[in-house]
Amino acid sequence: MLNSPHDHFFKKVFSQKEIAQDFIENYLPKELKKIINTKELEIVKDSFIDKELQNSFSDMIYKVDINNNPGYLYLLFEHKSYPDKLISFQLLKYLTKIWDLHLKQNNTNKLPFILPLVVYHGREKYNISLNFSSLLAKEKVLKEYIPDFKYLLYDFSQYSHNEIIGSVQSRLFLKIIQNIFKDDFEKELEEIFSLFRELNNTDTVLEYFETAMRYIINVREISIQNLKNKVNKTIPERSGDLMSLGEKLRKEGKLENLRETISIQLTKKLNINKMPDQISQKINSANIEELEKIRDNIFEINSLDEVKKYLN
């Protein structure tokens, strides 16, 4: 099971340049699309999310040409169950980090324009202001002395069927996040699965199918058998892929359980508070056979050096 399935799904999708371009082309206001050159879009690998907020937010940043000047699009994915009232404050902190990065990487004293976009993924309706100034006291005499900006919001739970447009991959992502928390999600799966028929490239279908299935299985309590029934009804040719994925997830779950069990057992056996990072990294990269040997010989291990012998 993924620790942060929302983050994994979002980044897996939006780290693909063509999907980012497609999203911008279809969902940015017309007046902005006229001045943003998506053909030159470049994905920036840095993340600006604070560690303590990584379970609530994910982000992607794209370097673009805005009216013949360097600029950025900052895409924030909020996947809490309710909208964060301080999101514009979080955005302000991320924007200043991006400006800092830009100044360090470029010999300039000018700040580039950054367009903040927020994709909201919560269960509750988004009902907070899009302006940073809404967080400050409403004193007219102070208005010209406070910073302000507005972000673009995309709450796809409020979009109709016809309003979700773009490439097949984009629509698949958006349809899944639009419906993932709905009570009738399993009913919506048939429409979601039918979109896979529009993907022509075999490798793309397999990769995207696995990405989508991993996300669904991690977020919703839905069995592989129920998924198989839906797949057989809509895209029977993908049934074998689903069962292969189910077996892969079972093995991965067993591997993760072994890692966690061994770490707990070793800290107790060796009377240490925390496993050293070097040993933890080796445990996390070990295969099932290596981990099973440690588990089976746990009572004979009396030092970290002996653990290393098993892992080497």
Side-chain angles (χ1 to χ4, degrees), residues 185-227:
F185 174 68
E186 292 192 32
K187 181 182 177 182
E188 298 292 336
L189 271 177
E190 293 182 18
E191 182 185 340
I192 291 168
F193 286 162
S194 66
L195 287 172
F196 280 103
R197 290 187 176 279
E198 298 181 39
L199 288 173
N200 297 318
N201 185 292
T202 304
D203 293 335
T204 301
V205 174
L206 289 174
E207 181 183 1
Y208 210 97
F209 184 76
E210 179 169 331
T211 300
M213 289 303 99
R214 279 179 178 273
Y215 179 65
I216 291 169
I217 291 167
N218 273 273
V219 176
R220 294 293 302 225
E221 291 186 3
I222 180 170
S223 68
I224 294 291
Q225 186 58 51
N226 280 355
L227 281 175

